[in-house]
Amino acid sequence: MPPESAFELNREDLRHYAGLQTLLINLSYRLINIPGKALESAETDALAAVSDYIQVHRGYIYDYGYENQKIILRHEWLAPGQISSREAFERLSWDELSDWIHTHEYGNLINCQTLEQLSPSIRAALNRQSVSSLLALPLKPRGPCLGFIGFDTLRQPRSWPEQEIELLEMLAQLLAGARERISHEKELLEARDQQLEANRQLEKAMDKVQIMAMKAESADIAKSQFLASMSHEIRTPMNAVLGLTHMALERNQDPQMENYLRKIQGASQTLLHIINDVLDYSKIEAGRVKLKKSLFKLSSVTETILGMFQPQAEEKGLKLHSHIDPQVPKRLIGDSLRLRQILINLMGNSIKFTEDGSVSLEISVDKTEETQTWLLFTVRDTGAGISEDQRKLLFKPFAQGDSSLNRKHGGTGLGLSICKRLVDLMGGEIWVESEPGEGTAFFFTLPFDTQIEAQTIASLIDRQGLNVLIVDDDPGTREMLAHHMQSFNFQHTCASDGESALRIMRETAEKNKPPFDLILIDYKMPGIDGLETARLIKKDQSLPKTPAIIMVTGYESEEARKKAENLQIDEFLVKPINQSSLFDPIMNLFGKEENLFGDSSYTEKTRKDASFNRGEHLILLVEDNAINREIAQTILQDAGYQTEAVDNGENALSLLTARKFHAVLMDIQMPGMDGLEVTRRIRSGELSPTAESCESPNPERNPNYDINSLPIIAITAHAMENDRELAIKAGMNDYITKPFNPQNLIQTLDRWLKNSH
C-alpha cells in the first residue's frame, strides 16, 4: 500500500491536472469549429490561459518558415516584468537551429530542466535571457511540422512532470489540428470559388463538382478523425484521474476530503460523458458504427432505462410513466444497444428540461410486415416546449435550441444529433412536435425482425419444467413470486421461513419426489436468515442434488453481495422483483446452449466451481504509464489477486518465458513493441523477444506452454470499433476501454479465469 504522503501528493497533483484538463476541454470545444479569422485570437487566449495556469514566465508559439529558412514569432505571453523571447530565437540562423527543428520534425519534444543538452549557440542565446528551464512541443499534424509551442522559466529551475507533459502535448495537438482543419477549409472555399467559375464553363462543370465532393468528404472525415483522436488522447489521463480518485476514496477517513474527492469524481465522470458523446459522433461520422442484431426482450430495455432515471426524476419531483401496447411483440431481433442509446438520450433530455409534471415513454405498433414489425416510440414531457426556430436546430451537431438552457443545464449539443444518425442508420425516422408552454414529444420509428416470436419459454429451458422452492417470510412477496413461476409454467412450493424450507427439502428427498432445481430465498428473515439457510442446503449430503439458489433481498448493500458471493450464491436480485428481472437469471442458469438471453455456460461453471480463489492466480500487468500501472495493480491486489507489472512488451515476453501467469492485462499503445505485437508473439509461442522461430516452447523451460488457454485482456484508451477488432484478431480474448470501471475489470478477469478452470 502506498504511504499516506504519496496519497496527499496525488491529491494535490490530481487537483492540478484535473484543472488543467478541464481548461483543455474548454479550449478544445472552442478550437473544433472556430472560423479561420478567429484562430489567431483563440491561439493567443489558449497560450495565455495555459501559461498562466502552469505558472511559467513565458509562453510562445513559433512558426517554421521553410521557404526563407527563418523561424517567426506567431504569439507570445509574458508574465509581468519579463522580456520577449524574440531576440533569443529569431537571431539564431537556420543552421544553428537544425538539430532543434529535426527533433520536432520527428514528432519529439524538447524537455530541458537545464540547458546543458542544447547546442552551444542555442544555449548561449537563452543564457543571455537567463532561461533556466524550457519545454518545447512540436506543432505537427499529419504533414510537415508547422513550428512549436514553448514554455520557459527565467532564473528559476522547473521540472516538467510526465502527466503535465501529456496534457501539454494534447494542447499542441489541438492547436496543430485546428490549423490543419482551417487550412482544409480554406482550400474548400477556394475550390468553391473555382466551382462558380466552372459553372460558367459548361464543358468543365462536372469535373469541378466531383472535385468539390471529394474535398468535402475528405474534410468531414478529417474532422471526425480529429474528434476521435482528441477523445482517445484524453482517456489516458482521465483513467489516472478517476483511478486515483477511486483509490483515495477507498483509503480516505476524512469526511471533508471525501466530499472533495466525490466532487472530483463527479466532475470527471461528467467529462467522460462528454468525451463519449464526441467519440460516438465521430464514429458515426466516419461510418464506423456497425449494427449488431440479437434477440432481446423489449420490456427489459424499458425497465432498465426507467430504473436508471427514476432517482433523477424523484429528485426533481417528476413522475415517470411507461406503456407498451399489448400488440407489441415481447421479443424482438435488432440492435438493443443502439435502441437503448437513443432512448437514454431522449429520456435524459426530457427529464433535464422538465421542471414539473411528468415524462412518459410509449411504444406501439406502427405497421407490420411478414417478417418485420415497425414500432413507434414516443417520449413525451410536460416541459416548457420548443419554438419553431429552436426545433430547426435540434438535430444539428454541437447545437441546442436555447442557448440559455444550454448554459443552465450543460451538455455538448450532440445527443439529439447522435439519435438522428442512429435512427437513420437503423432504417427509421425521427421527428419532434412541440409548442412553447405545451410540452414536447419526440417520435421515432424503427423496424425489428419478429420471427422468433413463435418460440415459447418452455423451448428455452433445458428440461420440461423447473421445480422451484420459494422461501420468504412476507406473504405478499411469496404470492408475487408464485404468480411469476406459474406464468413460466414452473412447479413451485412455498415456505415462510428457513426452518420450513429445510424440512420441505428433506421430506421431498425421503419420499423420492422430484428434487428442487431452484431456490428463491429472501435474504433477511426471522430465525434462520437466507444466507444461513443457503449454507445448510449446500452442505446437506442427504439431498439428491444441490439446487441453484437466487438470493432475493430488499437491502442493496455491498456487504450483502459479498456475503452471497463468498457463499457461492448463483444470483443476487434486489426487490422490487418483476417478471423480466427473474426471467434473465433463470435463463442464465438453465437455458439451453442456443439460448440468446444469457451465457448459461459461464453461470453453470461459476456455480459448480466452489474452489475458485483469486489469491491463487498471478496476473501480469503490461502498462507503460506509471500512474495507470499503479492504479490497476492496486485494484487487482485489493480484490485479492497476485500481480506482477512491467512497463513494456519486451519485459512481458521475458517474464512469460520464466514464470507461470494465469492471465495478462495488456495495454495496446506502448513504446517499442506494442500490445498487439506482444500478443501475436505470445499466441505463436515466440515468448522470448530474441526468438528466431515460432516453434512451440519447451514445457520444461516455459510454464505457459499451453499458450492458447492464457487469457489476454486489452486495457486501452483506443475506443473505436476497429480497435476492438484488431485486438481480437491479434489473439486477445477481451477488451476494456479506459477509463475502466474497477468492478468491471475484476468481473471480466473473474469470468475468464473461472472459464479457464
Side-chain angles (χ1 to χ4, degrees):
M1 183 181 295
E4 185 65 19
S5 59
F7 282 104
E8 289 296 331
L9 178 60
N10 281 336
R11 293 188 189 108
E12 290 298 320
D13 291 343
L14 192 63
R15 283 190 284 269
H16 175 74
Y17 298 140
L20 181 55
Q21 184 176 317
T22 301
L23 176 60
L24 292 178
I25 288 284
N26 293 332
L27 292 174
S28 70
Y29 280 112
R30 182 178 178 189
L31 289 168
I32 284 173
N33 288 313
I34 195 167
K37 61 183 180 181
L39 177 61
E40 288 196 7
S41 172
E43 288 178 332
T44 301
D45 293 345
L47 181 64
V50 173
S51 300
D52 183 57
Y53 185 88
I54 64 175
Q55 297 181 347
V56 294
H57 292 138
R58 303 189 303 193
Y60 34 78
I61 299 176
Y62 279 85
D63 287 345
Y64 289 145
Y66 291 95
E67 292 185 3
N68 56 11
Q69 296 195 336
K70 289 184 178 180
I71 70 168
I72 304 101
L73 179 63
R74 182 179 177 92
H75 302 292
E76 187 174 57
W77 175 88
L78 302 174
Q82 305 302 331
I83 61 174
S84 172
S85 63
R86 186 189 298 270
E87 277 198 26
F89 285 103
E90 291 193 351
R91 288 191 176 185
L92 292 166
S93 69
W94 193 259
D95 290 338
E96 291 173 323
L97 287 166
S98 59
D99 289 342
W100 175 290
I101 295 171
H102 288 155
T103 298
H104 283 163
E105 286 177 337
Y106 284 112
N108 299 320
L109 57 84
I110 297 171
N111 179 1
C112 302
Q113 295 186 26
T114 67
L115 305 184
E116 295 302 319
Q117 67 192 75
L118 298 176
S119 66
S121 56
I122 297 177
R123 186 167 65 247
L126 294 174
N127 277 333
R128 284 195 293 271
Q129 294 196 334
S130 301
V131 175
S132 296
S133 59
L134 174 143
L135 180 68
L137 306 105
L139 298 176
K140 192 177 188 311
R142 286 165 296 181
C145 183
L146 305 176
F148 68 92
I149 178 171
F151 307 91
D152 64 27
T153 59
L154 309 183
R155 297 175 294 279
Q156 182 180 333
R158 186 194 196 281
S159 63
W160 307 94
E162 179 184 351
Q163 192 78 357
E164 190 174 65
I165 289 175
E166 289 179 359
L167 292 169
L168 293 175
E169 283 180 320
M170 283 171 39
L171 173 64
Q173 292 167 7
L174 286 169
L175 294 173
R179 289 174 67 174
E180 182 184 44
R181 176 182 60 79
I182 288 172
S183 174
H184 283 314
E185 290 175 353
K186 184 178 179 182
E187 292 177 5
L188 278 174
L189 290 173
E190 293 172 355
R192 288 191 184 101
D193 292 339
Q194 294 173 7
Q195 184 65 38
L196 291 174
E197 178 63 23
N199 287 338
R200 301 184 191 89
Q201 305 173 28
L202 295 178
E203 68 278 8
K204 298 180 181 179
M206 291 303 299
D207 292 339
K208 293 294 182 181
V209 169
Q210 292 175 357
I211 292 171
M212 277 292 294
M214 291 174 61
K215 288 193 173 184
E217 182 180 358
S218 175
D220 286 342
I221 293 173
K223 180 177 178 180
S224 296
Q225 290 174 342
F226 166 72
L227 291 170
S229 175
M230 180 197 70
S231 297
H232 164 263
E233 294 302 327
I234 293 174
R235 281 179 179 273
T236 296
M238 275 292 293
N239 188 62
V241 172
L242 285 168
L244 289 172
T245 303
H246 170 80
M247 290 163 58
L249 282 168
E250 288 289 313
R251 292 158 176 78
N252 176 66
Q253 300 295 327
D254 182 356
Q256 185 178 16
M257 185 58 65
E258 180 178 356
N259 179 43
Y260 295 152
L261 291 169
R262 293 290 182 193
K263 289 178 179 177
I264 292 173
Q265 189 179 55
S268 299
Q269 288 169 347
T270 299
L271 287 175
L272 181 60
H273 179 75
I274 293 171
I275 293 165
N276 288 336
D277 270 355
V278 173
L279 185 58
D280 274 339
Y281 180 74
S282 65
K283 285 181 183 178
I284 296 170
E285 283 284 281
R288 296 179 181 176
V289 172
K290 296 180 181 178
L291 299 179
K292 296 180 179 178
K293 290 187 175 183
S294 62
L295 177 65
F296 69 96
K297 288 188 69 177
L298 183 60
S299 60
S300 297
V301 173
T302 58
E303 287 168 8
T304 299
I305 291 171
L306 290 173
M308 179 189 307
F309 286 110
Q310 188 64 44
Q312 187 178 345
E314 289 178 355
E315 185 178 343
K316 297 186 71 173
L318 302 176
K319 294 182 179 180
L320 283 187
H321 304 292
S322 70
H323 175 70
I324 302 179
D325 189 278
Q327 299 301 317
V328 174
K330 293 180 180 179
R331 300 177 189 86
L332 303 166
I333 297 177
D335 195 327
S336 61
L337 178 65
R338 297 304 175 186
L339 172 61
R340 190 187 309 263
Q341 187 175 2
I342 296 167
L343 289 174
I344 287 174
N345 268 315
L346 294 179
M347 291 290 289
N349 260 12
S350 290
I351 292 173
K352 180 165 63 173
F353 293 106
T354 301
E355 298 303 325
D356 57 73
S358 64
V359 175
S360 65
L361 170 60
E362 304 160 16
I363 306 174
S364 59
V365 175
D366 185 52
K367 61 180 179 179
T368 57
E369 298 175 355
E370 185 175 352
T371 60
Q372 279 191 326
T373 295
W374 288 72
L375 299 184
L376 172 64
F377 298 82
T378 306
V379 176
R380 196 184 307 274
D381 65 60
T382 58
I386 308 171
S387 69
E388 182 178 355
D389 291 339
Q390 293 168 347
R391 292 198 299 271
K392 294 177 181 178
L393 301 173
L394 284 182
F395 297 110
K396 293 184 178 180
F398 304 105
Q400 288 191 345
D402 189 331
S403 60
S404 64
L405 287 178
N406 187 31
R407 287 193 297 270
K408 178 180 178 182
H409 296 283
T412 60
L414 283 175
L416 292 177
S417 175
I418 291 172
C419 287
K420 177 164 178 29
R421 300 298 181 101
L422 289 176
V423 169
D424 290 346
L425 187 64
M426 297 169 75
E429 182 182 358
I430 186 169
W431 69 96
V432 62
E433 295 178 4
S434 179
E435 292 295 336
E438 297 184 8
T440 302
F442 284 92
F443 304 88
F444 67 95
T445 58
L446 288 177
F448 295 94
D449 297 334
T450 53
Q451 285 180 313
I452 197 70
E453 179 61 19
Q455 293 186 339
T456 64
I457 291 176
S459 68
L460 295 171
I461 299 296
D462 195 17
R463 60 202 73 199
Q464 290 300 316
L466 296 180
N467 192 11
V468 182
L469 176 60
I470 300 168
V471 188
D472 200 300
D473 62 308
D474 179 61
T477 303
R478 289 200 304 272
E479 182 179 352
M480 178 269 295
L481 291 173
H483 173 75
H484 290 323
M485 294 304 100
Q486 188 173 1
S487 71
F488 294 155
N489 199 26
F490 295 163
Q491 300 178 43
H492 60 276
T493 304
C494 293
S496 59
D497 52 47
E499 291 90 342
S500 301
L502 293 170
R503 187 181 67 254
I504 290 171
M505 293 191 70
R506 289 172 186 142
E507 290 176 353
T508 300
E510 291 169 359
K511 296 177 182 179
N512 291 323
K513 292 182 179 180
F516 290 102
D517 303 297
L518 173 65
I519 310 293
L520 298 176
I521 188 166
D522 188 24
Y523 176 78
K524 200 163 188 177
M525 297 184 296
I528 302 178
D529 66 15
L531 285 174
E532 180 63 14
T533 304
R535 188 186 68 80
L536 293 172
I537 291 172
K538 284 179 171 288
K539 67 179 289 188
D540 194 336
Q541 299 297 321
S542 67
L543 299 178
K545 64 177 291 186
T546 301
I549 299 177
I550 297 178
M551 186 69 68
V552 180
T553 177
Y555 303 90
E556 170 68 293
S557 72
E558 189 62 29
E559 180 185 2
R561 286 187 179 274
K562 285 183 178 179
K563 287 181 178 179
E565 182 180 343
N566 292 337
L567 199 57
Q568 299 291 314
I569 299 297
D570 299 283
E571 296 284 351
F572 189 92
L573 295 179
V574 179
K575 299 175 183 177
I577 302 297
N578 55 43
Q579 188 183 51
S580 177
S581 61
L582 271 174
F583 184 80
D584 291 340
I586 291 174
M587 287 299 104
N588 286 341
L589 291 167
F590 299 101
K592 291 182 178 179
E593 290 184 1
E594 67 269 23
N595 171 33
L596 302 177
F597 289 96
D599 185 356
S600 61
S601 60
Y602 161 59
T603 308
E604 289 285 355
K605 285 182 180 179
T606 302
R607 178 155 52 90
K608 293 176 183 177
D609 185 12
S611 63
F612 179 75
N613 182 356
R614 290 174 182 163
E616 297 175 355
H617 294 80
L618 179 60
I619 311 302
L620 177 60
L621 173 64
V622 189
E623 166 66 70
D624 66 306
N625 184 281
I627 295 177
N628 288 337
R629 193 165 59 246
E630 177 186 353
I631 291 168
Q633 198 164 14
T634 301
I635 290 170
L636 292 170
Q637 291 171 355
D638 285 350
Y641 281 111
Q642 300 181 60
T643 65
E644 187 80 28
V646 294
D647 61 359
N648 62 67
E650 290 83 357
N651 289 343
L653 292 176
S654 297
L655 265 182
L656 284 166
T657 304
R659 300 183 60 185
K660 180 177 181 179
F661 291 89
H662 298 90
V664 180
L665 297 178
M666 182 82 68
D667 188 18
I668 288 183
Q669 185 170 317
M670 296 185 291
M673 190 184 302
D674 64 36
L676 298 177
E677 177 60 25
V678 175
T679 302
R680 282 190 284 266
R681 292 198 183 194
I682 293 172
R683 292 307 186 210
S684 67
E686 188 182 344
L687 292 187
S688 173
T690 58
E692 296 181 358
S693 70
C694 293
E695 296 179 1
S696 298
N698 184 349
E700 296 295 321
R701 178 180 63 83
N702 170 33
N704 280 323
Y705 60 90
D706 186 12
I707 217 63
N708 288 325
S709 67
L710 180 67
I712 303 177
I713 302 169
I715 302 183
T716 176
H718 291 266
M720 300 300 282
E721 185 69 28
N722 63 320
D723 295 324
R724 178 183 291 272
E725 293 173 359
L726 288 173
I728 301 302
K729 186 177 180 181
M732 294 183 173
N733 300 87
D734 215 327
Y735 187 99
I736 298 175
T737 303
K738 296 176 185 174
F740 57 79
N741 178 286
Q743 184 179 4
N744 181 45
L745 172 64
I746 298 303
Q747 287 177 345
T748 301
L749 201 53
D750 286 349
R751 182 174 75 251
W752 283 105
L753 288 173
K754 289 174 182 177
N755 281 342
S756 66
H757 273 198

